[in-house]
Amino acid sequence: MPNAEAATIAAATMVRAENVHKRYGSVEVLKGIDLQAERGRVTCIIGPSGSGKSTLLRCINHLEKVDAGRITVDGALIGYVERAGRLHELNDREASRQRAAIGMVFQRFNLFPHLTVLQNIVEAPLRVKHEAREAAHERALALLRRVGLADKADSYPSRLSGGQQQRVAIARALAMQPKLMLFDEPTSALDPELVDEVLGVMRDLAADGMTMIVVTHEMGFARDASQHVVFMDGGRVVEQGPPAELLARPRNARTQAFLSRLLGGGRAQALSLR
């Protein structure tokens, strides 16, 4: 590949996972994952429970250490530095500095119950990035307006619905001004009527060009908001491609079986991009 072409591809890539393995005791959860997520685009990861989706996300921001392979974000090796052809793990402070540039939203909201909504959002910018309090507060209020919760700044998490808490969690992640956002099934803990308000915020982020990797069972979101869908099963990437192809016309039998079970027979036809 010519150098100029390789440089162009590298510049367009935000996340690259190469032959990533992860084991918990005798159980191998990730079995040689190769994945690429482009800058400014949304990548959705789908698949059955236990397929390694959440573990892969946690490896991307080094909440979990890989056993083999490597992951780069924005061209930088995550969790390690390479010297003389060998990888050396970063110390906690260096790893935290890397992690600060990667926002993550979990299934559970993980808000601090003793802090107000505003205090939850400014906590990390003040303590981790040592931002001026006034600037951190101004950004937090702007983010609350963005997620439709401007009137909840002084509320405590216990006074919010699940959908509101998850929107606060998204605002909290955005307050660190990340280059990449990771979402680990962000709607799975919500009542069905609250799902759309969270997905709406995520669609707005996608429209604004935020690079996102989303583990989800929301096939409508994967169809409408993503540019790339990855199907994982048994710790491997089984199939990947544009949503118009993978969701409507999957080639692999395992992908076909998963979508058929998830969507219920003829409902799979609803995923055709019209």
Side-chain angles (χ1 to χ4, degrees):
M1 179 182 296
N3 289 339
E5 183 180 354
T8 299
I9 293 174
T13 301
M14 177 62 79
V15 179
R16 184 188 300 275
E18 301 175 273
N19 195 31
V20 171
H21 291 255
K22 176 63 183 178
R23 178 185 296 274
Y24 296 105
S26 62
V27 179
E28 191 175 17
V29 179
L30 300 179
K31 304 173 183 178
I33 297 292
D34 291 307
L35 179 144
Q36 191 167 303
E38 292 187 10
R39 189 183 309 274
R41 298 201 167 192
V42 179
T43 299
C44 281
I45 305 177
I46 65 174
S49 298
S51 59
K53 307 183 301 297
S54 296
T55 298
L56 177 60
L57 280 198
R58 294 175 65 85
C59 287
I60 290 173
N61 67 358
H62 202 56
L63 288 175
E64 298 286 355
K65 303 174 184 179
V66 302
D67 295 319
R70 60 178 61 200
I71 297 173
T72 59
V73 173
D74 201 17
L77 191 62
I78 290 297
Y80 299 88
V81 62
E82 187 170 3
R83 300 191 189 100
R86 300 190 64 180
L87 296 183
H88 303 269
E89 189 173 2
L90 298 178
N91 61 40
D92 289 343
R93 177 176 293 184
E94 292 169 327
S96 295
R97 189 179 301 117
Q98 279 191 335
R99 200 174 292 122
I102 303 172
M104 187 159 184
V105 177
F106 300 87
Q107 297 177 32
R108 297 291 175 178
F109 323 122
N110 295 335
L111 300 178
F112 296 114
H114 63 291
L115 300 180
T116 67
V117 163
L118 182 64
Q119 290 169 337
N120 265 279
I121 295 173
V122 302
E123 180 76 2
L126 292 177
R127 291 183 177 272
V128 178
K129 299 181 75 173
H130 306 292
E131 289 189 6
R133 184 171 296 274
E134 183 177 353
H137 275 236
E138 286 181 1
R139 185 182 307 113
L141 292 173
L143 288 169
L144 284 174
R145 290 192 294 271
R146 183 174 186 178
V147 301
L149 294 172
D151 60 334
K152 301 296 184 182
D154 296 323
S155 299
Y156 285 88
S158 62
R159 307 299 297 175
L160 303 181
S161 69
Q164 290 171 331
Q165 290 187 61
Q166 192 64 294
R167 283 186 281 159
V168 173
I170 293 173
R172 180 179 61 181
L174 292 172
M176 293 293 283
Q177 299 178 288
K179 62 181 71 174
L180 168 68
M181 285 285 287
L182 307 176
F183 292 85
D184 186 8
E185 299 196 34
T187 61
S188 65
L190 300 178
D191 292 333
E193 64 269 20
L194 302 177
V195 168
D196 283 347
E197 63 187 58
V198 173
L199 293 181
V201 171
M202 294 170 63
R203 285 190 174 95
D204 289 343
L205 290 177
D208 289 344
M210 171 63 74
T211 307
M212 299 160 59
I213 301 179
V214 183
V215 170
T216 185
H217 283 98
E218 298 292 338
M219 295 299 104
F221 177 84
R223 175 197 65 194
D224 296 335
S226 75
Q227 289 78 37
H228 193 70
V229 179
V230 177
F231 174 68
M232 287 181 61
D233 191 20
R236 303 182 189 276
V237 172
V238 175
E239 185 173 355
Q240 57 184 309
E245 296 178 9
L246 188 142
L247 296 179
R249 297 178 294 278
R251 297 186 302 273
N252 188 280
R254 284 195 285 178
T255 315
Q256 294 168 3
F258 171 77
L259 291 173
S260 178
R261 287 195 303 271
L262 184 67
L263 299 169
R267 290 178 57 200
Q269 297 303 315
L271 286 173
S272 297
L273 293 181
R274 296 183 293 272

